[in-house]
Amino acid sequence: MGSVILDQLKRDRILDLLKEGKRVDGRALEEQRQLSIETGVIPKANGSARVKLANTEVITGVKIQPDKPFPDLGDKGILICTAEILPLADPNVEPGPPTEDVIELARVVDRGIRETEMIDLHQLVLKENKSVIGLFIDSSIINADGNLFDACSYASVAAILSCTVPKYEIKDEAPVLVEGVTSKAPVQTLPVSVTMARIGDYIVVDPTTEEEACMDSRITITTNSEGNICALQKGGSNGFTVDQLVRCSEIALSVGTKIRKRLEQLMQDGKE
Amino acid sequence: MGSVILDQLKRDRILDLLKEGKRVDGRALEEQRQLSIETGVIPKANGSARVKLANTEVITGVKIQPDKPFPDLGDKGILICTAEILPLADPNVEPGPPTEDVIELARVVDRGIRETEMIDLHQLVLKENKSVIGLFIDSSIINADGNLFDACSYASVAAILSCTVPKYEIKDEAPVLVEGVTSKAPVQTLPVSVTMARIGDYIVVDPTTEEEACMDSRITITTNSEGNICALQKGGSNGFTVDQLVRCSEIALSVGTKIRKRLEQLMQDGKE
Amino acid sequence: MGSVILDQLKRDRILDLLKEGKRVDGRALEEQRQLSIETGVIPKANGSARVKLANTEVITGVKIQPDKPFPDLGDKGILICTAEILPLADPNVEPGPPTEDVIELARVVDRGIRETEMIDLHQLVLKENKSVIGLFIDSSIINADGNLFDACSYASVAAILSCTVPKYEIKDEAPVLVEGVTSKAPVQTLPVSVTMARIGDYIVVDPTTEEEACMDSRITITTNSEGNICALQKGGSNGFTVDQLVRCSEIALSVGTKIRKRLEQLMQDGKE
Amino acid sequence: MTQLMTEDGIRCDGRRVDELRNISIKVGVLKNADGSAYIEFGKNKILAGIFGPRDVHPKHMANQDTGILRCRYHMSPFSVTERKNPAPSRREIEISKVIKEALQPALILKDFPRTVIDVFVEVLQADGGSRCAALDAAAVALADAGIPMRDLVSACAAGKVADRIVLDVNNEEDQEGQADMPVAMMPNVGKITLMQLDGILTPEEYKTCLQTAIGGCKRVYEIQRKALMEKYFQNGEQ
Amino acid sequence: MTQLMTEDGIRCDGRRVDELRNISIKVGVLKNADGSAYIEFGKNKILAGIFGPRDVHPKHMANQDTGILRCRYHMSPFSVTERKNPAPSRREIEISKVIKEALQPALILKDFPRTVIDVFVEVLQADGGSRCAALDAAAVALADAGIPMRDLVSACAAGKVADRIVLDVNNEEDQEGQADMPVAMMPNVGKITLMQLDGILTPEEYKTCLQTAIGGCKRVYEIQRKALMEKYFQNGEQ
Amino acid sequence: MTQLMTEDGIRCDGRRVDELRNISIKVGVLKNADGSAYIEFGKNKILAGIFGPRDVHPKHMANQDTGILRCRYHMSPFSVTERKNPAPSRREIEISKVIKEALQPALILKDFPRTVIDVFVEVLQADGGSRCAALDAAAVALADAGIPMRDLVSACAAGKVADRIVLDVNNEEDQEGQADMPVAMMPNVGKITLMQLDGILTPEEYKTCLQTAIGGCKRVYEIQRKALMEKYFQNGEQ
């Protein structure tokens, strides 16, 4: 293969640059790539968004439909986030059931939205224990260039913010659509995830595929509008020191604040 | 392998014969193989048929049972056609989930019956939106020698014609069998599919496995009793000219008429 | 590989010993290995047991919950036995869907309990045709050293004997737990399976993995408290003579009687 | 609840306790298979087709030292009262295994290293005793494929119905009777290669039931033999 | 029930019987793919991405004598009214097959033995005629990937609505109309490479419908060509 | 709704905020595995078994340059309140991945190219913190298998309950508390190798919670060490 040697050379080059405070694509260590957020891209969905983090690109759609609640969670609506790396997004991805990487991705996105309590699920109950409203938030990654976590997370949040929630009523024990009446999703806070990679002793924000290939470990931290830390996932085959973990939480808060402002704008204006 | 050379030799030989208006098994180009249709071969099924197109042989059984209607189709009964090439039918078939070829086969058979509106599905409703009668028309191919489309299609149609439909009534919200009362299936028209292969500039009806192995493309056209064209599927890794497609539709109508006479006999007499 | 030669050498050695009435581990031919049965090992389950047959070790848990009855079996509760050879139990086992060996294992254990009518399933009906109690008896094999049949069977029976069955009542058409009221499982008889291997002309009871690797064939016979033969399964790629089959039934009865005494003790005392 | 036996010992389908259902076997019914047979055994209608010895796919399953035997017992969706899902059930997987192990002693797989013999059984209509009928067809199909065999394998169930031991349990008897014991044997070698039991038998009944099943196997053997003779000798072939 | 056509022959979306929906195609929209295109065809929004010719995995699928073509047509869960399960449905598997067979005549796979060309199509939003739109995007994406082609493949459906033959059937017309006939062709070679029909047509209508669809394909071809020109020539590239 | 803490800071299971549940570890409990351990951590009952370094199946997964690590975290159907389907859930697949990544830094896989080390964890009874307990057992089992390690891996969760940071969150606290933060570390190397968080913490609480978890890991480490010592030195083995 020779790939081991090549990988090592790439890592050396990236580390050399990091020592000078630089990255391959010219960014500062704690700088995100160019982020664009566009909503309403899938008019047939109840909500949708297209997010680009430079070359990483994802489209998320929200489908809203009545469902049965989970057992023992009869007083809450349903919220499910999924993700798929489309095979056209990455030459190394093959069609088939989700890999462990994709399952982790979807679950981290899901927890970021769930644990911050972004949506008040209690407001999505039609009849307790019998019928609730379900939000299915599906992300299709159409080009993969690193940090799928944040791209899917921002796209999911933006898609929810853009949602038009149809009204359902219970008639004869069954939920019936009330035509022409809609509302916004009951949003309580704005979760923002920030993903960082550790390469040697350096923490870089929003890693590219190239950086992910030679990183030691990865961390995704999601914060809410109140400046709290609400969800966290360490990944990758090495670890972090405690100091690094504290530093990462600070970066997540500061970078997150900038992103949140853009999402707030989106929420108020219906567009950026 | 050498199989490429062999395949080419076989194709050359078949084409040489076609130039003289002949086929390997002595048939004319637009001549079907010997067709036999036998019904009632699986007495435990509600309807059944065994069809042979020379060495291609299929057994189809119909099971009729109450079911829930599809959402948004609450005023229609259920009709589902499936097919399996049994592994004993073909040395190249392996047990396992259906391949794309088998899925196409089943869906083409299904559409031939569905699109001609052979069965009046509105008559199969027990209680609108709640309970309907389902017809499951399953074809087991027991020897494969080409043109599985027509063999499964004729067997499915004949099995439906031979059906004894049990009577169900709604009691306490649930369908209950009424013993001893049966009827025929509500048949409105007789769909007949005709499958043709293009080999070079020649169109041959009812291709064998040998002919399919060297054909350019394939077409299945289903017509109804009124002489209309109701379903069509082009297959194979090459195409047709417009003239060929018009010619194919004429062949489908003329060959179909002969087959339909035999099916009408079957419908009237309960046997050929 | 050379494994064929090695296997043959092992078989020769085992057969040589058998001629002298001995086995590799020093047992007599009709002697079981050291059996230990411990119940209540999984307090969160409704019943549980850990069984060791020397190095073969299994943990069985019983979960009891309301369920819908099977169609046409509306007057009976549900009983389902499963088994999994955990990948940590055996270097040759890989994670994944159950193999044919494991499916046979689970079904033989299931039939031993079902066919002896150990549990009066009629007593597990909450509302006929609508709601019944289900017993899910799942065995996890944690170390495999032959004769998984008997280990799983004893563990399943012991776990059932140790069960605390919660009480359910029907309210508003749905089963509701009645807190604080429990009963024993409605046990009618004690099934005991005895598994034997034929190696050459010898029948050995409770074969080890080593013996199974060179046996000709296998038989599992389950008897009930009344001394009847209630379930039987021949396995392995060779056969038995009629005399051997009669002899096996006698061994199953005599060895089974000893095991049953221990299970009866367990039933009366709640422990051995 | 059907009455399974009259006071005169006549069973629900009119048979006596020691009577087989009608059995007919046709050999060589499939064009593509290397060997095949079709059996009607009571209301059972079952096809068996053989491929092999042939190369193994996937290759890593091949064994350098011996041929391998694979078996698939499968029921068509329309073969039973309630439509069967076409995906293999746990029951079908278990029966595939016991059929394979019942046929294996009759074959000399060591003579065909690195190859596989595939036995495919399709139950077109199921009645009581379908695994025995499937085995009877499969054994004949193996012979039709020209595969060297130590002996045929002949199968028949016995059971207990209305407190009596009966030969060849039918569907109603299987559902509502007291015991069902499918048995397969190599009739000339005298070895039992398949045996199962569901139900309750005294030790004495167990022996009687086994002997009754063996009697059935031997009668099935004659029918199998005749079917092969008809194909290979009466027609003047071979 | 929507009224599908006014007395003046105006369709439910305002089009005349021979009018296409709006179509726009962008070439080279995906960074990682070897070639790509994005099409909006009415309300259809579809991406196509190409990888290859490249090594085949798993290796045993490779063919020594020719390259192979694989195709996946897939719908995002949010692409249709009721959320779609992400696992491939039987419908998606069939459409993948007919799309593959529609593209294959345009390729010269023999020139790339032992390799595969992968065509991945993702339907982000589905409207009537998604398989035709998918094909239109896939053909352009193949060209964008620099894969030698005998011709483009251009696809468009025709159908029968309110007793009239119409071009480019939309979603409502597909659901409630009388016939839908998707057609794909190599416009310069003059060969039809995909054709399906669901619905009821007289023989005369069949011919008219086919000609109508072909007319649509030719207009789609111009749009495809223009999209490729825009990328490769107007921008001064190549 | 359980009351999770009394006014005196006593938790629902009687512990103080900085108190671990009872932990016991037994080493070498499985005969067939190359290394194994059994842990009881509160009501968690978990087995870990190790095979390897050994050949990789399927072979194409082997890596010429390094050994690989595989991990399966699995729950027995009877391990939780409502019977669990035996097929692996998405949750189990994610936990398998984070456990694998938590153990990997402690191993020197480069020394075992072309091989695999398999870590199989079975949760026989689950309580809060099962992934930490699983890791604790797995690390000890790796040591028991004689696999060279840079350090042990010790895991323990902290969390927030009734507005206080607590050590070692139990099941009720996990369900109804405010935050759960599982942490794993190499105690001598001082590296955190697993960290997750579900719940809401202020930045200050985040630091306290992390330090609390680390304190727990260190106490777990002593228990792991003692368990290994007991097997390898007190019994006079090695």
Side-chain angles (χ1 to χ4, degrees), chain D:
Chain D
M1 198 82 155
T2 336
Q3 199 203 330
L4 292 177
M5 202 174 297
T6 66
E7 287 176 21
D8 307 337
I10 300 302
R11 294 153 74 180
C12 61
D13 57 6
R15 283 184 293 154
R16 294 183 313 275
V17 293
D18 60 348
E19 200 175 344
L20 284 176
R21 287 172 288 180
N22 286 333
I23 302 172
S24 78
I25 301 176
K26 264 194 257 181
V27 184
V29 293
L30 300 175
K31 290 293 190 308
N32 289 340
D34 295 329
S36 63
Y38 174 66
I39 192 167
E40 294 195 352
F41 194 127
K43 292 177 194 155
N44 287 296
K45 292 172 187 287
I46 301 175
L47 274 169
I50 309 296
F51 290 99
R54 61 177 177 178
D55 285 350
V56 186
H57 293 282
K59 285 188 182 175
H60 67 84
M61 283 187 60
N63 188 325
Q64 297 304 311
D65 299 308
T66 179
I68 59 173
L69 178 66
R70 291 191 297 212
C71 182
R72 176 179 115 134
Y73 166 97
H74 185 256
M75 305 179 87
S76 281
F78 47 75
S79 63
V80 278
T81 308
E82 186 142 354
R83 178 181 184 265
K84 202 205 144 281
N85 186 308
S89 65
R90 292 168 64 90
R91 178 181 170 275
E92 284 167 291
I93 293 170
E94 185 202 344
I95 293 183
S96 297
K97 181 175 191 286
V98 295
I99 287 182
K100 180 181 68 183
E101 293 175 341
L103 292 170
Q104 196 157 335
L107 300 174
I108 305 138
L109 294 170
K110 296 266 180 203
D111 288 358
F112 305 99
R114 289 179 299 280
T115 69
V116 62
I117 295 171
D118 276 310
V119 177
F120 297 121
V121 167
E122 185 75 14
V123 179
L124 298 168
Q125 182 167 283
D127 200 16
S130 71
R131 79 194 65 190
C132 289
L135 256 171
D136 294 327
V140 167
L142 282 163
D144 181 46
I147 292 168
M149 295 172 80
R150 293 193 174 89
D151 197 351
L152 272 182
V153 176
S154 307
C156 187
K160 184 177 171 188
V161 171
D163 292 323
R164 293 187 62 177
I165 300 302
V166 302
L167 180 62
D168 183 19
V169 171
N170 69 26
N171 207 34
E172 293 71 29
E173 293 170 340
D174 184 16
Q175 300 291 309
E176 301 176 18
Q178 295 155 294
D180 180 32
M181 181 195 274
V183 169
M185 71 185 301
M186 293 195 284
N188 299 299
V189 172
K191 226 176 219 173
I192 309 293
T193 65
L194 175 141
M195 186 173 172
Q196 295 181 294
L197 168 68
D198 289 337
I200 300 182
L201 296 177
T202 65
E204 235 6 85
E205 287 169 341
Y206 167 78
K207 286 177 222 168
T208 315
C209 200
L210 178 52
Q211 289 298 352
T212 303
I214 287 170
C217 292
K218 288 180 177 164
R219 278 145 72 184
V220 167
Y221 172 65
E222 292 306 320
I223 297 166
Q224 291 174 300
R225 232 178 125 250
K226 218 177 119 208
L228 284 165
M229 296 283 277
E230 257 165 37
K231 172 160 182 206
Y232 285 106
F233 299 102
Q234 259 159 257
N235 297 350
E237 292 186 38
Q238 189 172 90

Side-chain angles (χ1 to χ4, degrees), chain B residues 1-4 71-72 81-83 98-104 106-108 111 115-117 198 218-219 221 224 227-242 245-246 248-250 253, chain E residues 63-65 71 82 89-98 100-102 104-106 110 131 178 181 183 185-186 189-207 210-211 214:
Chain B
M1 295 270 153
S3 71
V4 172
D72 299 331
C81 296
T82 78
T99 61
E100 59 171 29
D101 287 347
V102 170
I103 287 172
E104 184 190 28
R107 285 177 59 86
V108 167
R111 282 205 295 268
E115 295 298 332
T116 51
E117 298 175 5
R198 178 173 75 77
R218 197 196 67 226
I219 193 163
I221 299 179
N224 68 7
N228 294 315
I229 296 165
C230 305
L232 181 152
Q233 179 92 345
K234 178 257 161 186
S237 54
N238 208 315
F240 288 94
T241 64
V242 174
L245 289 172
V246 171
C248 286
S249 72
E250 291 162 358
L253 281 164
Chain E
N63 187 326
Q64 296 304 311
D65 299 308
C71 182
E82 185 143 353
S89 65
R90 292 168 64 90
R91 178 181 169 275
E92 283 167 292
I93 292 169
E94 185 203 343
I95 293 183
S96 298
K97 182 175 190 287
V98 295
K100 180 182 68 184
E101 293 175 341
Q104 196 156 336
K110 296 267 179 201
R131 79 194 64 188
Q178 293 156 293
M181 181 196 274
V183 169
M185 71 185 302
M186 294 195 285
V189 172
K191 225 175 220 175
I192 309 294
T193 65
L194 175 141
M195 186 173 172
Q196 296 182 292
L197 168 66
D198 288 337
I200 299 182
L201 295 177
T202 65
E204 232 10 80
E205 287 169 341
Y206 167 79
K207 285 177 222 167
L210 178 53
Q211 289 298 352
I214 287 169

